[in-house]
Amino acid sequence: MATNILMPALSPTMTEGTLARWVKKEGDAVQSGDVIAEIETDKATMEVEAVDEGILGKILIPEGTEHVAVKTPIAILVEEGEAVPEAPETAPTAAKAEAPAQAEKPEPVVISSFDPAQQTSTQKADKGERIFISPLARRIAKENGVDIASLTGTGPNGRILRRDVEKAKGQTSSTTAPSATAASAAGSVERVKHSGMRKVIARRLTESKTQVPHFYVSVDIELDALLALRSRLNKALEAEGCKISVNDMMIKAVALALKQQPGLNVQFTETEMLHFEDVDISMAVSVPDGLVTPVIRQADRKSLKEISQEARSLATRAREGKLSPEDYQGGTFSISNMGMFGVKDFAAIINPPQAAILAVASGEKRAVIRDGELAVATVMTATLSVDHRAVDGALGAQWLNKLRDLIQNPYSLVL
């Protein structure tokens, strides 16, 4: 009996996605567990594995199609020798192929993060070697006539990424003709289609900035004691190959401040305020197409060593596009650290539905007054962005002062 394969929901909030690539083609035999397609979300490229066995009789949604709604039939699976219907059944015959996120049907499509080393269908270079390339990069290359066999990938394990294709486009003068107005104003213009991630970032941040009433509180924090402690910890952990970063210590300090002042570990809804017992810190990680926020869960209960190891693992998987939905969903507070770029100060946009985000700038040598005397200290400006519906100004200022005390007296981070 013909079975509809449906567009899966890869997270509880997903409503649509991009069908990046078909791994199987029409007429291919499919076994349970075979990877049949790759789906792009705003966070990563995920694989869809078959639940049933049969023949992939008809592909309904071609690869590269964007805005495919969840539960839309994307293909039809038939038994061997069975006639292939022209259209999907009106009543879905493959309820078990729906989103794995649905609690009442946990056994359907298995979703796993994309790993280029496990691709079952790859294009070949002239000399017969595999070419590892992201689905988005492959599509852009195809649309612009770029020979991927000539490219050198800058991603993990030599994987070709979008930036590699776009660089090649520029070198081969593959530009789209600009409008008359643009051409007269600025010469030639290259048009790069928005990725799914960029679209979601634009939509969510626009909603946050226009619908959430932000207010901002900044404080200068002296880092010398924290940096001295970090140096001692890293010397003690050197044999284990573990290195604590300032960001790791900031995550721990923020988590402890939220535990001691839980009024910011909340979310506002139209009917009630949600107060969270667990402190789950979302950390902003820059990736080629935008930004993702993997979560360090129960950060207040973890040691600096545990936070360091987990943060590095999450950041690596984020940049490789290997995060699973549970890695980046459900944070209660966010940290955005731009200190490595030498930024003096900045204000971050709140990550809904959270109530606050901390912007961490660079530490720099500044003149300070201690006991009436002029001195030099390493000082960092931290700016708290807060949802005024959930948190009032005095509470935001009190929390930021609590954070400053923890950082300037950092031994509580290791007790």
Side-chain angles (χ1 to χ4, degrees):
M1 182 177 180
T3 301
N4 294 343
I5 299 176
L6 307 181
M7 181 70 167
L10 306 183
S11 72
T13 58
M14 177 178 168
T15 59
E16 62 180 32
T18 296
L19 205 160
R21 185 170 77 101
W22 281 104
V23 176
K24 296 288 187 180
K25 61 181 183 295
E26 290 185 357
D28 282 356
V30 175
Q31 300 293 323
S32 178
D34 284 354
V35 175
I36 58 175
E38 293 167 6
I39 305 296
E40 282 184 10
T41 71
D42 60 310
K43 303 295 184 182
T45 299
M46 315 292 280
E47 294 178 342
V48 179
E49 296 181 3
V51 175
D52 294 323
E53 59 182 36
I55 304 296
L56 187 58
K58 188 176 184 64
I59 290 176
L60 302 171
I61 304 294
E63 61 182 37
T65 302
E66 301 178 341
H67 309 300
V68 181
V70 168
K71 297 187 180 180
T72 299
I74 59 175
I76 301 174
L77 193 69
V78 297
E79 296 180 0
E80 188 172 357
E82 180 183 3
V84 180
E86 288 298 319
E89 297 288 337
T90 303
T93 59
K96 60 184 176 181
E98 293 181 5
Q102 295 179 347
E104 66 273 16
K105 301 183 191 301
E107 73 281 16
V109 179
V110 177
I111 305 299
S112 60
S113 57
F114 176 73
D115 185 347
Q118 296 177 348
Q119 285 182 310
T120 58
S121 176
T122 57
Q123 293 178 304
K124 304 291 183 178
D126 292 339
K127 54 185 179 180
E129 297 178 351
R130 284 188 176 185
I131 300 178
F132 296 123
I133 181 170
S134 73
L136 178 60
R138 181 186 291 108
R139 187 165 70 249
I140 294 174
K142 182 178 179 181
E143 291 173 352
N144 292 275
V146 175
D147 180 12
I148 64 173
S150 66
L151 302 181
T152 300
T154 60
N157 299 317
R159 187 184 184 199
I160 298 171
L161 303 176
R162 173 182 176 176
R163 60 173 177 260
D164 303 318
V165 178
E166 291 175 346
K167 181 179 179 181
K169 280 172 52 185
Q171 292 172 346
T172 57
S173 66
S174 178
T175 58
T176 304
S179 65
T181 302
S184 62
S188 63
V189 176
E190 180 181 7
R191 302 177 189 271
V192 179
K193 196 172 183 179
H194 291 312
S195 66
M197 176 181 290
R198 179 53 56 190
K199 290 178 181 178
V200 172
I201 289 173
R203 174 177 55 81
R204 284 177 54 82
L205 294 186
T206 299
E207 290 173 354
S208 175
K209 195 64 174 175
T210 57
Q211 298 178 18
V212 176
H214 288 55
F215 76 86
Y216 309 95
V217 185
S218 295
V219 67
D220 290 337
I221 303 175
E222 294 186 21
L223 296 177
D224 297 284
L226 182 137
L227 294 175
L229 175 60
R230 173 178 176 261
S231 179
R232 292 179 60 186
L233 290 173
N234 283 336
K235 188 172 182 179
L237 293 169
E238 187 174 2
E240 300 181 39
C242 179
K243 190 172 183 180
I244 307 296
S245 70
V246 171
N247 197 59
D248 300 329
M249 302 182 83
M250 288 299 302
I251 290 172
K252 178 70 172 184
V254 165
L256 291 179
L258 287 169
K259 202 66 178 178
Q260 296 175 22
Q261 188 69 271
L264 270 73
N265 201 42
V266 299
Q267 290 178 10
F268 175 88
T269 74
E270 293 301 324
T271 58
E272 59 188 357
M273 193 78 72
L274 306 180
H275 294 260
F276 296 97
E277 176 67 22
D278 288 338
V279 178
D280 299 329
I281 303 297
S282 301
M283 60 175 193
V285 176
S286 177
V287 296
D289 281 338
L291 194 73
V292 293
T293 51
V295 180
I296 305 288
R297 303 194 186 278
Q298 299 182 337
D300 58 306
R301 305 182 190 179
K302 292 179 177 175
S303 68
L304 285 172
K305 179 181 175 181
E306 291 172 324
I307 289 174
S308 176
Q309 292 172 336
E310 189 172 341
R312 277 166 175 72
S313 174
L314 287 169
T316 298
R317 285 188 283 135
R319 296 186 180 105
E320 294 176 352
K322 296 181 180 180
L323 291 178
S324 59
E326 55 268 24
D327 288 330
Y328 54 79
Q329 292 173 355
T332 61
F333 185 100
S334 290
I335 297 177
S336 180
N337 189 342
M338 294 181 67
M340 67 289 294
F341 299 114
V343 174
K344 184 174 182 179
D345 66 80
F346 70 104
I349 300 175
I350 294 169
N351 181 21
Q354 297 173 14
I357 182 171
L358 184 72
V360 179
S362 177
E364 59 180 4
K365 295 294 184 180
R366 300 184 196 173
V368 298
I369 303 296
R370 290 178 182 162
D371 300 324
E373 298 291 333
L374 186 64
V376 176
T378 305
V379 180
M380 170 193 75
T381 299
T383 300
L384 180 68
S385 304
V386 186
D387 180 350
H388 215 327
R389 300 171 303 173
V391 179
D392 293 327
L395 180 58
Q398 290 166 8
W399 182 87
L400 205 50
N401 285 328
K402 175 69 69 177
L403 177 68
R404 178 174 57 188
D405 291 343
L406 286 166
I407 294 173
Q408 293 185 169
N409 302 280
Y411 286 93
S412 59
L413 305 184
V414 295
L415 296 178

